[in-house]
Amino acid sequence: MIARRACLLGGLGSLGWIGRAVAGGQLEEPLMDSVRSALSSAISNSAPPVPEFRDTDSRLAYLRWLGAMASRLAKRTPDWQERKDFLQTVWYESKRAGLDPGLVLGLVQVESNFRKFALSRVGARGYMQVMPFWTRVIGDGDPAKLFHMQTNLRFGCVILRHYVERERGDLYMALGRYNGSRGQPQYPNAVFGASKQWDWHDLPPVQASPDPSKPAERVPGGPS
């Protein structure tokens, strides 16, 4: 999978997709009752997107990620509080769905160019360009809620996770399915290319030196 992704990125011919809105087009497909129930359950929890951390190091790593991403997003979203709320929700919903936040940010960039009220010619809505039929299939039937930030990101992440599982972990095929262009390279290439702008690797943690006269050293294996 890694080699396939590298090959796709190496042959990226869709730079025109990156940085502008692209119409989302998930296709409505029959769902087994068990799948429908699982997806409905996954989007039903309305808890606020407040990340929780197992320890202080994890929280500090998140804050460093937040600071880095906020700096990169500043030109698109000048208001700090709006940027913080958006990024915190992206982190929360991505992790909740088992997705990489950088991948989700890349998808948002390609789908809506970070426009909360983006509306495509086929009716896809919001940051992640979710098709309205999803609110009928697994929600309460109100497509207007797809313009609510957390609702849109929740639906988008849950739907993408569903497609990843359908494609047995193949992100290339899952992204094509998300866009309604399964098997075609332009959309996955664009998302993979955009996600590189949101890639982030944390510094390893600082290990205290037993000798106070010597500076602390960074050790490998820190959070990423």
Side-chain angles (χ1 to χ4, degrees), residues 26 39 97 99-100 103-104 107 128 134 154-166 171 174-178 187 191:
Q26 304 101 20
L39 292 174
L99 299 170
D100 175 29
L103 177 72
V104 172
L107 187 148
M128 295 186 75
W134 283 109
R154 168 72 55 85
F155 267 83
C157 288
V158 166
I159 292 163
L160 181 56
R161 167 48 56 184
H162 166 61
Y163 289 148
V164 170
E165 292 176 356
R166 284 203 62 180
L171 273 177
L175 286 169
R177 191 181 287 275
Y178 188 93
Y187 181 78
V191 174

Side-chain angles (χ1 to χ4, degrees), residues 101 127 182:
Y127 287 118
R182 184 178 183 274

